[in-house]
């Protein structure tokens, strides 16, 4: 895959150092090449995407300063979609989806700009259970793991 996009939005509450949140996120990566386990590869155009709905728990480590490291993860579900518009330059119309269990783990650091606003830099590992996509010839199964570096803003009300 080529590098892609990861957009997240979350709403939640804090209980001391613990943050509970509901998150919706969208990840998309464009195809580059597909390598077969039996050897060989093909150039693909299209994308693989994930629309996920997660319940997350984060723990903020109080360092006694404006810098706040955090660690956590979550679980939920994800609508996975694979679209292939061409294979080795030949037009294609493959477009299949599957809804699967999703999970994520992450860590990062925030900096308190104000008592209510924090900017964050974090890493997320997002994965799913096996994705099954059905085409006219057979059922293909895929493993999905996504690594993201995220920059964000958190506002406490």
């Amino acid at each position: 895959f080529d590098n892609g996009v990861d957009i997240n939005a979350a709403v939640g509450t804090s209980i001391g150092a613990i943050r509970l949140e509901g998150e919706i996120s969208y990840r998309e990566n464009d195809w580059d090449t597909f390598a077969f386990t039996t050897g060989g590869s093909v150039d693909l155009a299209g994308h693989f995407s994930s629309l996920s709905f997660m319940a997350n728990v984060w723990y903020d480590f109080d360092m006694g300063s404006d810098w706040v490291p955090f660690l956590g993860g979550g679980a939920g579900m994800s609508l996975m979609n694979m679209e292939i518009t061409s294979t080795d330059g030949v037009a294609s119309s493959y477009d299949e989806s599957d809804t699967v269990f999703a999970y994520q783990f992450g860590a990062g650091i925030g900096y308190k700009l104000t008592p209510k606003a924090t900017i964050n830099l974090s890493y997320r590992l997002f994965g799913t259970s096996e994705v099954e996509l059905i085409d006219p010839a057979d059922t293909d199964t895929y493993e999905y793991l996504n690594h993201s570096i995220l920059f964000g803003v958190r506002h406490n009300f």
Side-chain angles (χ1 to χ4, degrees):
F1 293 104
D2 289 331
N3 288 333
V5 61
D6 184 339
I7 301 168
N8 298 285
V11 175
T13 188
S14 293
I15 304 168
I18 297 173
R19 288 184 281 128
L20 306 172
E21 67 182 26
E23 173 192 289
I24 183 171
S25 64
Y26 179 78
R27 295 165 178 82
E28 181 178 299
N29 294 87
D30 289 336
W31 281 107
D32 185 9
T33 58
F34 185 86
F36 297 97
T37 56
T38 56
S41 65
V42 294
D43 291 327
L44 296 176
H47 68 269
F48 202 95
S49 65
S50 164
L51 175 63
S52 61
F53 303 89
M54 307 292 289
N56 299 322
V57 177
W58 300 101
Y59 184 83
D60 293 327
F61 295 92
D62 183 0
M63 306 299 286
S65 73
D66 289 337
W67 293 98
V68 182
F70 58 90
L71 181 65
M77 60 177 263
S78 185
L79 173 62
M80 308 300 294
N81 177 259
M82 181 191 298
E83 182 178 345
I84 301 173
T85 56
S86 75
T87 305
D88 278 338
V90 177
S92 173
S93 61
Y94 184 87
D95 189 355
E96 292 295 324
S97 299
D98 189 15
T99 302
V100 295
F101 171 77
Y103 59 91
Q104 65 182 353
F105 302 99
I109 190 160
Y111 181 78
K112 294 179 187 177
L113 296 173
T114 70
K116 297 211 175 260
T118 303
I119 57 172
N120 298 309
L121 179 63
S122 64
Y123 164 80
R124 296 256 178 107
L125 171 65
F126 176 86
T128 69
S129 60
E130 197 168 74
V131 180
E132 289 187 357
L133 301 174
I134 301 168
D135 65 36
D138 60 6
T139 299
D140 297 316
T141 57
Y142 299 91
E143 293 179 11
Y144 183 79
L145 280 177
N146 181 287
H147 302 272
S148 298
I149 302 294
L150 302 170
F151 177 76
V153 177
R154 183 173 70 239
H155 181 77
N156 299 328
F157 295 95

